[in-house]
Amino acid sequence: MHVRKIIREIRKVGRYLGNYGKFYREGKTPIVLLTKEENLRNKSVRSGKDLGFWGRQEQRQIRTKMDLNMDLNAPHSMGTTIIGVTYNGGVVLGADSRTSTGMYVANRASDKITQLTDNVYVCRSGSAADSQLVSDYVRYFLHQHTIQLGQPATVKVAANLIRLISYNNKNMLETGLIVGGWDKYEGGKIYGIPLGGTLIEQPFAIGGSGSSYLYGFFDQAWKEGMTKDEAEQLVVKAVSLAIARDGASGGVVRTVVINSEGVTRNFYPGDTLQLWHEELEPQNSLLDILNSPSPEPMNI
Amino acid sequence: MNFTASKQPENCLLGPESDSQRTLYPYVTGTSVVALKYKDGILMAADMGGSYGSTLRYKNVERMKPIGKHSLLGASGEISDFQEILRYLDDLILYDNMWDDGNSLGPKEVHNYLTRVMYNRRNKFNPLWNSLVLGGVKKGEKYLGTVSMIGVNFEDNHVATGFGNHLARPILRQDWHENLSFEDGVKLLEKCMRVLLYRDRSAINKLQIAKITEEGVTISQPYSLKTYWEFSAFANPAQGAVGTW
């Protein structure tokens, strides 16, 4: 009861003001401020059949805009930072470990680098469900393909299978993937498959919402023909920088190195990473700082 | 990663519509393609950028590809749809070759095929989000045509997509003439591409120029254009009017 009263008050006073004012002025009540009964009542009227095809889409857009306060036509930024980098002899894949549901961190140690075959892995970003399902399907197809082929699948085939699913279901899926691996024909290869299902082979790829902060970094720090250690350090540094600035990225840095010798998984907990601007050395307690000896006086 | 709601809002009565595929909006897009007829065939230019909204995300995207023996296809718009069109054309050319009858599809035929594909997808409210430029030479006959995502198609002596229509076509209307030499054609295209570089936000300074003649297709290596910034008014815009931009 109390809630309904508040809603009515908001409607009276808040009309024409704030984020929802625009919709009132257009003669529409934002769904978030309707009571459940009113919403259900409106549903039959808002069937949209009379609005034609684009009317339906506009309806959907308005509703999503109101609910999520976002512009549907701008590309979705996806929580996560994922990176794939080729080096002289193989590839290094890296990712953060944060899975969020809205503002809550559902899993602070997730593994976003998923195995497709012995020699091909994929970094997942965007919707957790979508990316998991796509990887599961591709793993299944690749397994069959490997049996039929009689030898390990190539990275190109894996990437094309991902593209096939991403492209043909582009309206349903919200996931950006980076496929990386090693095969005996082409060596180490990285393929980026962003939203929409474009397949693009790159010497290095970045994805997820955290990647916005890394375009400049990679423009400056990337070079052709790095060694394995250089490449891995670059990836760890980059993910760590993205974690520092992107709220949707966090936790630990996981890397997977794939080359002719095999696959190596590495794990870098937050406290092993270097500190960036305005970050402080972690302490056990304030008491330790208070009890420690005071700093030396300056020698002027 | 978010556990976001699926793209279909729950109380939306979509029904069977949710199964069919509809490209509602593009994600990774290419900007203008410009092309003109010259003495020996067709010259086409496009930059190598793939934009993701306002981010210039991919800088190595080849937006012009040879088709069969006689044609060259350039595309702007959604790159994933362009990749799909290339697959359709692969099948088309394959079938044509399998006839093994000494005949091969010319640019006019490929253009017609693309027009039918684009128009029929548009009729099903599921467009391939591209504007295509198709050029080629067969048996001495030069052909240059264009198809848009809604199926509008025509051929002309010079065509462009996207911003190119507004910025490059006027330049071409003024400076183009019959039997341009290769050098003049390239200079004219570069003039257009430079203007696009100045004035199109999604253009990048890395382009390729492709030529198609009776002999075949050549796509140049990627290269960059020099730009001019030395106007005195650029150095000091506020000199005559303080506070101006």
Side-chain angles (χ1 to χ4, degrees):
Chain A
M1 295 323 122
H2 187 47
V3 172
R4 212 170 293 171
K5 241 181 152 180
I6 293 172
I7 288 170
R8 244 171 259 140
E9 284 302 305
I10 293 171
R11 234 186 283 159
K12 279 188 226 152
V13 176
R15 218 167 280 214
Y16 311 116
L17 299 176
N19 288 336
Y20 296 115
K22 171 175 184 275
F23 301 105
Y24 285 113
R25 288 192 292 275
E26 286 176 44
K28 302 179 180 87
T29 310
I31 289 189
V32 287
L33 292 186
L34 293 174
T35 60
K36 189 168 167 212
E37 293 86 289
E38 286 163 330
N39 193 11
L40 285 170
R41 212 189 311 138
N42 286 351
K43 238 181 39 168
S44 53
V45 173
R46 292 159 48 86
S47 72
K49 287 208 174 69
D50 46 328
L51 300 174
F53 172 75
W54 296 110
R56 160 67 75 217
Q57 194 204 2
E58 213 184 37
Q59 246 187 351
R60 240 184 289 155
Q61 275 194 341
I62 293 165
R63 186 185 175 279
T64 316
K65 268 191 198 141
M66 286 185 236
D67 284 0
L68 305 175
N69 263 330
M70 63 194 248
D71 176 19
L72 252 192
N73 292 320
H76 289 54
S77 76
M78 296 172 288
T80 277
T81 308
I82 50 172
I83 302 181
V85 149
T86 57
Y87 72 91
N88 175 17
V91 298
V92 181
L93 299 175
D96 72 308
S97 71
R98 179 173 285 188
T99 308
S100 34
T101 40
M103 280 286 143
Y104 176 66
V105 177
N107 187 351
R108 65 179 169 108
S110 38
D111 183 7
K112 301 178 188 177
I113 310 178
T114 312
Q115 184 180 28
L116 294 178
T117 69
D118 289 338
N119 55 320
V120 181
Y121 280 66
V122 62
C123 294
R124 303 179 290 114
S125 76
S127 156
D130 286 350
S131 62
Q132 283 170 357
L133 259 296
V134 170
S135 338
D136 285 348
Y137 271 116
V138 172
R139 191 180 310 119
Y140 168 64
F141 292 140
L142 273 176
H143 185 211
Q144 292 191 317
H145 173 65
T146 306
I147 291 169
Q148 290 169 346
L149 197 62
Q151 58 185 34
T154 57
V155 191
K156 190 185 272 194
V157 166
N160 273 100
L161 284 170
I162 299 253
R163 178 215 84 95
L164 205 62
I165 299 181
S166 290
Y167 180 77
N168 288 318
N169 297 290
K170 63 159 80 186
N171 297 323
M172 247 61 78
L173 295 174
E174 190 194 306
T175 174
L177 301 152
I178 297 179
V179 179
W182 185 95
D183 60 56
K184 69 182 187 200
Y185 299 106
E186 306 251 31
K189 282 282 183 206
I190 293 281
Y191 292 88
I193 301 142
L195 250 43
T198 315
L199 174 69
I200 180 143
E201 201 248 298
Q202 303 169 276
F204 72 90
I206 55 179
S209 60
S211 67
S212 310
Y213 308 97
L214 297 176
Y215 285 103
F217 174 70
F218 271 91
D219 276 349
Q220 187 232 36
W222 160 261
K223 43 188 172 59
E224 198 70 53
M226 290 186 285
T227 66
K228 176 167 80 109
D229 291 325
E230 280 177 338
E232 187 162 6
Q233 274 168 31
L234 181 69
V235 167
V236 172
K237 190 173 182 181
V239 178
S240 148
L241 280 166
I243 287 174
R245 291 293 183 175
D246 179 32
S249 302
V252 305
V253 179
R254 294 192 197 277
T255 63
V256 171
V257 184
I258 312 173
N259 50 34
S260 56
E261 282 141 43
V263 177
T264 322
R265 267 194 174 276
N266 289 313
F267 170 78
Y268 299 86
D271 45 335
T272 62
L273 304 169
Q274 88 178 85
L275 292 169
W276 303 117
H277 183 52
E278 284 175 334
E279 288 183 344
L280 300 170
E281 194 70 54
Q283 308 280 349
N284 275 324
S285 163
L286 175 64
L287 305 170
D288 293 338
I289 305 172
L290 293 173
N291 290 334
S292 68
S294 36
E296 290 279 308
M298 284 199 297
N299 219 340
I300 307 173
Chain B
M1 290 187 280
N2 294 323
F3 285 130
T4 51
S6 75
K7 274 212 184 129
Q8 330 274 326
E10 324 88 61
N11 57 349
C12 189
L13 308 165
L14 256 187
E17 282 176 39
S18 56
D19 304 328
S20 66
Q21 196 191 350
R22 310 193 122 101
T23 307
L24 295 172
Y25 30 82
Y27 289 104
V28 182
T29 55
T31 184
S32 337
V33 179
V34 192
L36 47 79
K37 278 188 192 167
Y38 80 110
K39 182 161 56 81
D40 304 326
I42 311 286
L43 279 168
M44 197 185 294
D47 72 11
M48 299 194 76
S51 301
Y52 189 74
S54 58
T55 306
L56 306 171
R57 190 167 180 185
Y58 301 107
K59 295 192 179 178
N60 209 15
V61 184
E62 280 203 31
R63 296 194 290 113
M64 296 183 295
K65 293 282 182 185
I67 310 291
K69 282 204 286 269
H70 305 287
S71 316
L72 178 63
L73 175 66
S76 66
E78 168 68 55
I79 302 295
S80 64
D81 286 344
F82 175 52
Q83 291 178 343
E84 196 71 3
I85 288 171
L86 290 174
R87 269 161 230 269
Y88 289 150
L89 288 172
D90 268 348
D91 283 345
L92 182 76
I93 300 292
L94 184 71
Y95 275 113
D96 183 49
N97 287 341
M98 288 302 104
W99 283 107
D100 199 20
D101 56 3
N103 213 338
S104 50
L105 289 171
K108 199 179 168 80
E109 289 87 67
V110 178
H111 184 231
N112 189 60
Y113 172 79
L114 288 171
T115 306
R116 290 298 104 222
V117 169
M118 301 300 271
Y119 182 62
N120 276 292
R121 288 286 296 253
R122 164 266 192 199
N123 284 343
K124 294 189 277 194
F125 283 100
N126 183 199
L128 289 159
W129 207 284
N130 295 108
S131 288
L132 306 170
V133 171
L134 198 294
V137 197
K138 189 176 171 192
K139 295 210 178 77
E141 293 264 333
K142 302 187 280 264
Y143 185 90
L144 181 60
T146 179
V147 198
S148 78
M149 69 186 255
I150 53 172
V152 172
N153 70 297
F154 55 89
E155 47 160 320
D156 205 340
N157 292 321
H158 47 81
V159 295
T161 66
F163 255 64
N165 270 312
H166 301 103
L167 298 174
R169 294 297 297 287
I171 299 176
L172 291 164
R173 272 180 217 126
Q174 209 170 41
D175 289 350
W176 184 90
H177 56 85
E178 286 277 1
N179 289 324
L180 279 164
S181 70
F182 174 71
E183 287 76 24
D184 285 342
V186 170
K187 282 207 199 95
L188 186 49
L189 274 183
E190 283 179 343
K191 190 176 180 189
C192 297
M193 294 305 281
R194 191 174 285 109
V195 171
L196 287 167
L197 183 58
Y198 287 143
R199 298 294 182 174
D200 180 2
R201 256 177 57 167
S202 36
I204 64 163
N205 196 358
K206 189 176 180 192
L207 66 141
Q208 290 177 305
I209 296 198
K211 124 167 113 76
I212 179 164
T213 62
E214 195 71 56
E215 282 89 58
V217 175
T218 325
I219 304 184
S220 76
Q221 51 159 220
Y223 73 103
S224 294
L225 289 170
K226 283 205 179 143
T227 52
Y228 185 72
W229 301 91
E230 311 306 316
F231 292 112
S232 58
F234 280 17
N236 215 346
Q239 194 165 45
V242 178
T244 189
W245 53 278

